[in-house]
Amino acid sequence: GGQGMPGGMGGRGGGMGQQQQQQRQQQAPKKKADPVNYDLNVSLEDLYGGTTKKMRITKKIMDGGSGRQTSVSNEKQISVKAGWKDGTKITYNNEGDEAPGIIPADIIFTVKAKPHDRFERDRDQLLYTCPVTLREAICGVSKSVRSLDGRNVKIEAHHVTPETVLTIPNEGMPNSKSGVKGDLKVKFLIRFPEFNDADRDELGSMLGRMERK
């Protein structure tokens, strides 16, 4: 009977040892999982006017009852602000997969602007290359381009060269902080007609007379 006590104490000691071990595990700093990156593909129109994008995320969570991982999916509504630039990051902290001993990863969406059929973007400026005939380049240009919000923006010049850059104020991208719009910069792509020999001779002699003036 007397021998039972040391064994009992030893048993309790073992129990205490396990508790200390569990406490140590709980106190051990958790490692943060690496961020999970997704591209958020948006059009230049979306970045001009702002929009809301829906993104579905599937992640693993720990089931409190069974201790097993289960998959859940949820939808994120991302408000894209007018004027955001390529590379803007939207971070959802600790929204990644759950796992024992790990702090869930941050989920990061990075804005990627899709290529556009008319415009290129340079910070808050928009760049447009306007095709013109040689006659228009010499005698005058009166054209228009559809803006990102569907308006016709007039492009007018008395004459243009391949070096001409026309600045149209306030027709660029909005600045996401100030809301002030940048400029639209217009370059010109001059299309030459097909000349036959007689045309070329006539044009050559006319240009020769002009150069002698």
Side-chain angles (χ1 to χ4, degrees), residues 50-121:
T51 189
T52 301
K53 301 292 275 188
K54 290 179 182 176
M55 298 293 285
R56 187 171 288 282
I57 299 171
T58 303
K59 67 173 183 176
K60 295 185 175 76
I61 62 165
M62 297 300 293
D63 184 318
S66 68
R68 292 194 186 128
Q69 282 186 326
T70 55
S71 287
V72 293
S73 75
N74 60 359
E75 203 171 66
K76 295 286 179 203
Q77 297 231 0
I78 301 174
S79 292
V80 175
K81 199 173 171 190
W84 269 4
K85 293 183 172 66
D86 234 26
T88 300
K89 293 184 188 304
I90 306 102
T91 302
Y92 291 93
N93 292 315
N94 305 341
E95 292 259 357
D97 291 344
E98 294 178 6
I102 283 179
I103 299 168
D106 294 343
I107 289 180
I108 300 171
F109 291 97
T110 303
V111 170
K112 289 267 189 295
K114 298 173 192 170
H116 201 268
D117 63 344
R118 298 188 300 286
F119 301 113
E120 284 180 52
R121 182 182 186 178

Side-chain angles (χ1 to χ4, degrees), residues 19-64:
Q19 279 177 344
Q20 284 170 346
Q21 200 177 351
Q22 282 171 352
Q23 281 172 351
R24 275 200 299 274
Q25 280 175 351
Q26 283 166 2
Q27 285 162 3
K30 284 186 177 182
K31 185 180 178 296
K32 173 106 178 180
D34 290 335
V36 180
N37 292 288
Y38 294 99
D39 286 347
L40 183 67
N41 295 306
V42 290
S43 67
L44 212 47
E45 283 84 354
D46 289 339
L47 291 172
Y48 181 85
T51 189
T52 301
K53 301 292 275 188
K54 290 179 182 176
M55 298 293 285
R56 187 171 288 282
I57 299 171
T58 303
K59 67 173 183 176
K60 295 185 175 76
I61 62 165
M62 297 300 293
D63 184 318

Side-chain angles (χ1 to χ4, degrees), residues 129-130 132 134 137-138 159-166 186-192:
T129 301
C130 181
V132 293
L134 181 59
I138 294 166
H159 61 87
V160 298
T161 73
E163 282 77 44
T164 302
V165 179
L166 191 66
V186 183
K187 290 180 178 179
F188 296 89
L189 178 65
I190 300 168
R191 294 194 170 137
F192 280 68

Side-chain angles (χ1 to χ4, degrees), residues 121-165:
R121 182 182 186 178
D122 179 16
R123 297 184 293 273
D124 294 340
Q125 292 182 348
L126 285 173
L127 315 176
Y128 173 62
T129 301
C130 181
V132 293
T133 63
L134 181 59
R135 186 174 180 278
E136 286 172 321
I138 294 166
C139 301
V141 174
S142 181
K143 297 207 156 204
S144 67
V145 62
R146 198 168 79 255
S147 68
L148 291 170
D149 57 355
R151 291 170 298 108
N152 281 331
V153 178
K154 285 184 179 175
I155 297 169
E156 294 184 329
H158 291 302
H159 61 87
V160 298
T161 73
E163 282 77 44
T164 302
V165 179

